[in-house]
Amino acid sequence: MTTTPADLPEGAGRSGQGLKLLAVTACPTGIAHTYMAAEKLARTARALGHEIKVETQGSIGAENVLTDNDVREADGVIIAADKEVDRSRFAGKRVLAVGVAEGIRHPEQLIERVRSAPVYGGAEGEGAGARGGAGAGAGAKEGAAPGAGGAGGGRERSVAYKALMNGVSYMIPFVVVGGLLIAISLAVGGHPTPEGLKIAPGSFWEDVNHIGTIGFQLMVPVLSGYIAYAIGDRPALVPGMIGGWIATHGELYGMKDASAGFIGGIVTGFLAGYLVVWIKRVEVPKFARPIMPIIVIPIVATTALGLFFIYVLGRPISWVFTHLTGWLSGMTGTSAIVLGAILGLMIAFDMGGPVNKTAFLFGSGLIASGNQTVMGMCAAAIPVMPLGQGLATLIRRRLYSEQERETGMAALFMGLFGISEGAIPFAAARPAQVIPANMLGGAVAGAVAGMAGVADAVPHGGPIVAVLGAVDGVPAFFVAVVIGTAVTALATVMLVDVSGRRKDGGVRAGVAGGARVAGGGAGVTVAGAGGGTGSAAGAGRASRIAAAVADVPGRATLPGQVVEGDAADGDVSGARDDDEASGDDEASGDGAEGDANGGRGGSEGAAQVLSGYLTVQTVKTQLDADGKEAAIREMGELAAGTGRVADVDELVRVALAREAQGTTGLGEEIAIPHAKTDAVTAPVVAFARSADGIDWGSPDGTPARLVFMISVPEAAAGDEHLRILALLSRKLMDAEFRARLQGAEDEAAILCVLGEIH
């Protein structure tokens, strides 16, 4: 994925103020996280005026591969991956390496951090040598930064985790192919016998079954080999694969009817990888160095590991694996329900993250041993999150924006194909409501599947595996998925609704000190700053805002909240799309007690724009400044009126320092300066217009006429800063929206238009 020169603002890249960046994204399964991180990085870079090319290392292989010319011209490289990525090609470049989730959640933060990331100095030819931590000495030049985590890093996954996920990512295709071929051959060519489905000897379907069996036989060696490869590079591949093969053949260490299974494969993978790393550190004569990686290291490591496993580790690990498999196979009734619930909770917790992958590996690793019921529990839980969130957007549409409803349709589609990451956008937007609902639905689905003894022959989930014939107990499987999906959807709707009602409670609290618009049988309230004393002009301004907002269909108070009420008591309740305030603007009751602008307390109590960070206090119809620095100071003083800015001078200094790194002028007559500093005690957004426009150094050369200033404390700089910036950037690309914002007559009208941002 790349933002092409045609897509970029003119002047971006090395010749302009923007950066020329490269990125690589990869997740263990290579399905959803890989491409979601790529999309987020590409969009954010473009919004910030940078050029970026993103290489995705997905399940179908590497796409949009970075060339030598790309690397030569790049200012920095971002690696957002949970599997090992070859860094040798980036020697001499600033490299920031983090987990793939960081690319999805904090792309703007990564683009900022890569500016100061350490220069990677991997030795030529040692692609994966400097694999962070333990492997650094194998391939990094002296003084290089192992892992290249970047300034202030610490978010990159550990070597052990990335090695394990690397092995899993290469193992999955073998199990999928093997499991599906076995399932199809049994479903089509098998016939029932007292011992189960049997395939006629010498038939076509028996050959298909044999091919599938080979896929299963290669699963553990591949897992072991690529765990070793991620730690010790190419010399570790052979000892890792041979060690994995030994682990699955118990007859080699006196266990004729058992083996060490996938647990043994994981052990041999790590042993082979770290053994090779240790051997690489041994000083050898110069003449022997060329043959070390292709002859000496593989032979020594393979022999030592093989003999050690045969004589020492094989029997005890086989005993553990055999008893674990037997214990799981014997689980019925309550025990199976508990196990299914636990696995469902893990699958649903982080939707493709490390906890999810732990449960997934546990289930898929037992498939080859003949225990497919554990994977059946996982398979039933995997689609529940995206299906449940998608269903929630259908059954309570008013709780979601149009974009969220579109995302819900995509999530439904992804759920049908067992891609749990489809629920991530909802979890990112409402974690406190969505994650518990997901976990509840996942636990229910896993428990129902465990109770019914559902089995899955392939390491995947969702209705697709049942359609392809990989599931044993299809009716029960669908019952588990449907129940889990319904539980997730209903729990999500309930929690989101409760959260909304709490916010409405804040509105009611603000009503006591607010100004009310009376007339016609419907009351609309704008909260004041209870306890303060305001002027009649202030009350009139509040009523003017309320009346203007009430003219927007489906909205009352400030945009984003819908109210209906009795003119007599100003009560605020749920949603009706036809409420309008009628009659003359009239401030009545205790309206005069509130601050003219809604006040600090009032703005928090009232319905809010951009989560309450942008209020009538932080809106100015026309800037007095005619230059960027003066405009930023004026915007800072505007934000200070909320009481959330402790030091205006420091806020202005930080904002100007950010401008020095690269303009925040987006083009299209828009500028979004922003600052992350503890001079701000809470997030605040200010907006102002400039009639003549201000030269902001925008890539398209247009003067800034619409200026937003985002100010957040350091502690909130991650999610909130990016969320606000993303919301603004997306909506401001709409030319019709910008025109209405330019044409709004006063603060009230401006707030009405800005209320559409959600």
Side-chain angles (χ1 to χ4, degrees):
M1 176 176 300
T2 182
T3 54
T4 65
D7 295 328
L8 282 165
E10 184 180 349
R14 295 180 70 84
S15 61
Q17 296 188 13
L19 299 174
K20 186 176 180 66
L21 301 174
L22 301 179
V24 180
T25 62
C27 64
T29 55
I31 298 176
H33 279 93
T34 298
Y35 302 103
M36 292 172 70
E39 179 71 15
K40 283 282 191 178
L41 285 167
R43 284 187 178 182
T44 304
R46 188 172 72 172
L48 296 175
H50 305 304
E51 182 179 352
I52 190 169
K53 180 176 180 180
V54 186
E55 176 183 305
T56 54
Q57 296 188 3
S59 58
I60 60 175
E63 296 178 278
N64 206 38
V65 176
L66 306 178
T67 66
D68 291 342
N69 288 336
D70 293 330
V71 176
R72 188 180 306 113
E73 298 174 1
D75 296 311
V77 182
I78 298 171
I79 298 176
D82 281 347
K83 54 182 280 191
E84 196 52 56
V85 173
D86 181 5
R87 300 179 194 171
S88 62
R89 52 186 168 156
F90 305 132
K93 296 294 180 181
R94 293 190 180 277
V95 177
L96 175 69
V98 296
V100 70
E102 289 297 296
I104 299 172
R105 297 170 184 163
H106 309 301
E108 195 229 17
Q109 195 176 67
L110 300 185
I111 292 171
E112 289 289 339
R113 287 170 55 194
V114 77
R115 297 171 184 268
S116 57
V119 175
Y120 179 70
E124 186 176 351
E126 290 289 347
R131 302 198 183 274
K141 290 180 181 178
E142 186 176 354
R155 289 185 176 273
E156 186 179 8
R157 298 291 188 185
S158 67
V159 176
Y161 175 83
K162 292 176 72 174
L164 181 60
M165 292 300 103
N166 194 61
V168 170
S169 69
Y170 282 99
M171 174 196 77
I172 286 174
F174 287 85
V175 190
V176 170
V177 170
L180 282 177
L181 289 178
I182 291 173
I184 292 171
S185 65
L186 288 171
V188 180
H191 58 275
T193 69
E195 293 80 27
L197 286 175
K198 296 292 183 182
I199 301 174
S203 68
F204 168 80
W205 291 110
E206 185 183 45
D207 293 334
V208 174
N209 188 272
H210 288 161
I211 296 172
T213 301
I214 293 172
F216 265 176
Q217 291 174 342
L218 291 174
M219 177 188 77
V220 174
V222 168
L223 170 68
S224 177
Y226 281 96
I227 289 174
Y229 175 79
I231 298 170
D233 204 7
R234 285 182 292 273
L237 186 60
V238 171
M241 284 196 168
I242 293 178
W245 184 269
I246 293 172
T248 58
H249 288 73
E251 65 273 13
L252 295 175
Y253 40 89
M255 303 291 287
K256 293 182 179 180
D257 299 321
S259 74
F262 81 95
I263 295 178
I266 293 173
V267 172
T268 56
F270 280 106
L271 286 177
Y274 285 112
L275 179 59
V276 167
V277 169
W278 179 79
I279 296 174
K280 283 182 177 181
R281 292 175 176 170
V282 176
E283 292 292 334
V284 297
K286 190 173 182 179
F287 73 86
R289 291 176 187 172
I291 64 171
M292 289 292 290
I294 58 175
I295 298 177
V296 177
I297 294 178
I299 290 177
V300 172
T302 301
T303 304
L305 174 65
L307 292 175
F308 183 67
F309 199 87
I310 289 172
Y311 289 111
V312 180
L313 292 181
R315 282 178 173 267
I317 294 178
S318 177
W319 183 89
V320 171
F321 183 73
T322 301
H323 282 75
L324 173 64
T325 304
W327 174 63
L328 292 174
S329 299
M331 275 191 164
T332 57
T334 304
S335 299
I337 294 173
V338 172
L339 177 62
I342 293 173
L343 291 173
L345 285 170
M346 295 175 69
I347 289 289
F349 174 68
D350 53 1
M351 295 155 286
V355 176
N356 172 288
K357 286 296 184 292
T358 300
F360 177 84
L361 179 62
F362 183 53
S364 60
L366 291 173
I367 292 175
S369 68
N371 186 335
Q372 300 176 355
T373 56
V374 176
M375 191 62 222
M377 302 172 192
C378 297
I382 284 171
V384 161
M385 296 80 72
L387 291 176
Q389 295 305 322
L391 180 60
T393 65
L394 295 178
I395 61 179
R396 292 293 293 275
R397 294 176 62 84
R398 73 173 182 82
L399 296 178
Y400 297 90
S401 67
E402 182 179 352
Q403 182 177 0
E404 287 175 319
R405 291 195 292 269
E406 292 175 358
T407 303
M409 296 303 295
L412 287 170
F413 181 79
M414 295 173 76
L416 295 176
F417 287 87
I419 302 175
S420 59
E421 290 90 339
I424 288 177
F426 297 96
R430 298 181 175 94
Q433 293 80 39
V434 171
I435 292 177
N438 283 347
M439 294 176 66
L440 182 60
V444 170
V448 172
M451 179 176 62
V454 172
D456 181 13
V458 297
H460 201 68
I464 185 66
V465 293
V467 171
L468 293 176
V471 170
D472 182 17
V474 173
F477 173 80
F478 277 108
V479 168
V481 171
V482 168
I483 294 177
T485 298
V487 168
T488 294
L490 294 175
T492 300
V493 167
M494 181 187 72
L495 291 173
V496 171
D497 201 31
V498 168
S499 176
R501 290 179 185 277
R502 287 177 179 171
K503 291 181 180 179
D504 286 346
V507 176
R508 294 189 188 97
V511 167
R516 187 180 60 175
V517 179
V524 182
T525 303
V526 174
T533 302
S535 65
R541 186 184 189 202
S543 64
R544 189 173 72 248
I545 295 171
V549 173
D551 287 337
V552 180
R555 287 191 170 90
T557 65
L558 296 186
Q561 295 285 335
V562 184
V563 306
E564 62 179 355
D566 189 299
D569 59 14
D571 183 38
V572 180
S573 62
R576 281 236 315 253
D577 292 341
D578 56 355
D579 282 339
E580 294 184 1
S582 59
D584 297 330
D585 293 350
E586 178 183 343
S588 61
D590 297 327
E593 294 180 17
D595 179 77
N597 301 343
R600 225 168 297 159
S603 64
E604 292 171 354
Q608 300 163 335
V609 178
L610 283 176
S611 301
Y613 304 145
L614 193 154
T615 68
V616 67
Q617 287 179 285
T618 59
V619 172
K620 192 168 187 177
T621 56
Q622 292 297 332
L623 280 169
D624 298 324
D626 57 3
K628 181 195 293 190
E629 183 173 346
I632 288 177
R633 175 164 293 280
E634 191 172 343
M635 298 290 284
E637 292 171 350
L638 184 64
T642 64
R644 298 178 180 178
V645 179
D647 188 339
V648 175
D649 291 337
E650 177 62 13
L651 171 61
V652 172
R653 187 194 69 77
V654 173
L656 291 174
R658 170 62 187 84
E659 292 294 329
Q661 296 176 356
T663 181
T664 57
L666 301 186
E668 304 289 350
E669 300 184 336
I670 303 164
I672 309 181
H674 42 277
K676 297 178 281 188
T677 172
D678 286 333
V680 180
T681 58
V684 58
V685 180
F687 169 73
R689 297 182 303 199
S690 173
D692 299 327
I694 298 170
D695 182 6
W696 218 277
S698 300
D700 63 359
T702 58
R705 300 180 189 275
L706 302 175
V707 183
F708 291 84
M709 184 167 173
I710 305 171
S711 307
V712 295
E714 286 286 353
D719 290 335
E720 281 305 281
H721 187 202
L722 180 57
R723 187 179 73 86
I724 298 168
L725 188 62
L727 287 171
L728 286 173
S729 300
R730 183 173 64 243
K731 191 64 178 176
L732 288 170
M733 292 303 101
D734 182 347
E736 191 270 338
F737 175 81
R738 296 197 305 271
R740 286 190 287 112
L741 194 55
Q742 285 276 28
E745 294 181 358
D746 53 18
E747 293 92 338
I750 289 173
L751 280 177
C752 288
V753 177
L754 292 176
E756 299 174 22
I757 300 176
H758 49 74

